[in-house]
Amino acid sequence: MKFKLIAEYFDRLEKISSRIQLTSLLSDLFKNTDREVIDKVVYLIQGRLWPDFTGMPEIGMGEKFLIKAVAMAYGNKEEEVEKLYKSVGDLGEVAYSLRSKVKGVSILSFVGGSQEAGELEVTEVYNELVKIATSTGEGSRDIKIRIFAGLIKKATPIEAKYLVRFVEGRLRLGIGDATVLDALAITYGGSADYRPIVERAYNLRADLGDIARIIATEGIEKLKNISPTPGIPIRPMLAERLPDPEEIMEKMNGKALVDYKYDGERAQIHKSGDKVTIFSRRMENITDQYIDVTEYVKQSVKGDNFIVEGEIVPVDPESGEMRPFQELMHRRRKNNIAEAIKEYPVNLFLFDLMLFNGEDYTTKPLPERRAKLEEALTSNDKIYIASHIIADNVDKLKNYFYQAISEGAEGVMVKSIGPDSIYQAGSRGWLWIKLKRDYQSEMADTVDLVVVGAFYGKGKRGGKFSSLLMAAYNPEKDVFETVCKVASGFSDQELDELQRKINELRREQKHPRVVSDMIPDVWVSPTLVAEVIGAEITISPLHTCCRNEKGGLSIRFPRFIRWRDDKSPEDATTNQEIMEMYSKQLKKIEEKPVDENI
Ligand code: ATP
């Protein structure tokens, strides 16, 4: 399969902003894709060479390298390329126009091959990009530049444009996972009705390229019977929230398992043979940060292969008491992780089991999963099963909640133990309900919102980005709908960081997956997630979240709390959740006795 075809599709996809059209054009591309390379094509569409969880390196070529490569490929001076880049603002376009000026095959002959432009194969492009990504150490800089220059020399102008954008990490086609899933269902199943099958498979094995390969080469039937595999993350099951213990017990039909809700980092732990891998809430490979945890698991959980889940919590080295989750940040520093491991010890509290010795447990009810977990684990002072009780009345739940808080937990997780209490990978449902400590605010909980635009400040903050246009996620439409403008809560350091973050992600036009009536000073690709708290949710004509004829919903007096790097934009609070919070708030107001307001 020729890479040219893909580049041409990229060019068409980029110009589309309707999700329906994107899906249909993507499906068209899949129809024209050789089945053997479908996984590579899916990764390329996502702007990557492999899923994040593999922990494989990124391409690692910055702007400077790229300018050198473009100059080398087309016989220009670096200064010329740089100047053009400054005036055009897009290195892909620069490569396109410089490549267009290189005439005829004659100029290509000095490339060292007889290959005509437009003859690049997808596999060849992919393999060359892999070489670039995996070359490390001394001299790798020059190797990367040379390989890339060689590649774009053989490319047509349009191929060069998208190769440059890909390597630069600016391939912003606006295609989310949901759109890829729809397009796969349509292409290989025959209609969008097959989406639930494709989605379920993806939830259990979160590798889109792999899912595409299976459906394309082995068919939709094969996907129906897919089970989790050690080494490929499962998309995490998520909890709904409710502030009222009575309502929670009602939802649970009067009886539930109540776990401490630990405030640390979620860890999905896979073991296969001797190899233990840990994935984060975002399914990134965080094994290196928690080598100590991998050892605890090897020593204490029996089983040849399994997938279990728990929360890693920092603890005081002396007393063993739980410490604030922020201490885990020290584990992120790349150099001297060994010291951080020693200085900031952790405990692991396991709360679920999804696979055991090859058997899929995601379809079994929670009591069965927990029984297996307890059977497999020999607890010690590092690794435990999450503290829990079975509550069969509201008072038991309340008392356990207060006990959890007094011991440093964030609240409790109330979990269904009914016959249908399966592990719902990748979805937020009422089988798990979180009850958290109250915040000093009318809003019962914080929300996680996605930055979609930024505004320059005035006065002291003049010339600097100082407020952000924030959006909730609408999973049905796979778009981001605005809910508020956040201008407070940033520390000076966070404000400085903000400038860099925004500059990296700013774009000329609104991202196709953003729905907004407000026009910020700069648009931002929906990537960054921030935790925000506000005073209340109100109806507003300015925002697009949950919009109907009365207006949209917006958060009043929003305040930035922290970045949520562990969340991807699709993990942000959804429009549906904002609507639920709004309804709850209305109910609360109605329930207030009249004289309380006097
Ligand atoms: P979510 O993960 O639901 O999007 P969030 O990341 O904002 O939300 P919380 O609202 O605080 O986090 O609650 C969910 C998280 O609680 C889980 O992702 C998990 O990391 C953590 N957690 C702690 N203890 C437990 C437990 N016993 N069972 C399940 N999750 C737990």
Side-chain angles (χ1 to χ4, degrees), residues 101-130:
K101 287 184 192 132
V102 181
K103 288 197 198 70
V105 185
S106 60
I107 200 103
L108 290 167
S109 54
F110 77 82
V111 173
S114 55
Q115 199 174 13
E116 298 270 344
E119 291 298 309
L120 278 172
E121 293 286 328
V122 174
T123 315
E124 181 185 0
V125 169
Y126 185 84
N127 291 345
E128 293 296 285
L129 292 172
V130 168

Side-chain angles (χ1 to χ4, degrees), residues 192-345:
D193 296 348
Y194 288 93
R195 158 78 190 257
I197 295 172
V198 184
E199 187 170 344
R200 180 182 169 272
Y202 176 54
N203 285 337
L204 293 179
R205 277 163 82 138
D207 178 344
L208 260 191
D210 193 41
I211 295 298
R213 183 189 55 75
I214 295 171
I215 191 174
T217 59
E218 298 178 72
I220 190 104
E221 281 304 313
K222 180 83 187 177
L223 274 196
K224 281 189 192 159
N225 301 317
I226 232 168
S227 59
T229 312
I232 304 181
I234 298 175
R235 299 186 69 221
M237 173 168 179
L238 304 170
E240 285 286 352
R241 63 183 106 201
L242 279 178
D244 176 10
E246 274 175 42
E247 220 178 314
I248 295 180
M249 282 316 278
E250 239 170 70
K251 281 259 183 215
M252 293 288 165
N253 295 323
K255 198 168 174 186
L257 175 87
V258 185
D259 269 347
Y260 274 17
K261 183 178 186 308
Y262 298 94
D263 197 7
E265 173 152 29
R266 188 170 188 157
Q268 194 181 100
I269 305 170
H270 293 224
K271 181 168 175 258
S272 173
D274 272 346
K275 193 168 174 213
V276 174
T277 315
I278 306 182
F279 298 112
S280 69
R281 159 83 171 69
R282 284 190 77 164
M283 298 178 293
E284 280 158 348
N285 189 325
I286 49 171
T287 315
D288 288 349
Q289 296 169 35
Y290 298 112
I291 296 296
D292 45 348
V293 176
T294 65
E295 287 306 318
Y296 306 152
V297 170
K298 273 187 209 166
Q299 286 158 17
S300 312
V301 188
K302 54 174 189 279
D304 297 333
N305 65 63
F306 55 75
I307 303 177
V308 292
E309 199 170 36
E311 191 88 352
I312 295 177
V313 182
V315 288
D316 187 287
E318 305 293 321
S319 66
E321 272 175 29
M322 289 194 267
R323 304 272 307 149
F325 83 94
Q326 284 89 343
E327 288 197 353
L328 295 176
M329 288 306 287
H330 298 283
R331 300 260 183 152
R332 299 234 168 118
R333 52 182 196 209
K334 291 258 168 354
N335 41 13
N336 223 346
I337 187 86
E339 204 161 287
I341 287 176
K342 246 197 343 230
E343 238 175 280
Y344 299 94

Side-chain angles (χ1 to χ4, degrees), residues 22 46 86 129 138 142 220-221 287 302 309 331 338 353 364 372-373 389 419 501 572 579 593:
L22 266 185
Q46 294 180 299
K86 278 209 178 107
L129 292 172
E138 213 183 311
D142 292 341
I220 190 104
E221 281 304 313
T287 315
K302 54 174 189 279
E309 199 170 36
R331 300 260 183 152
L353 173 143
K364 299 183 195 287
K372 192 58 162 181
L373 183 61
I389 55 159
K501 285 182 192 260
M579 177 54 91

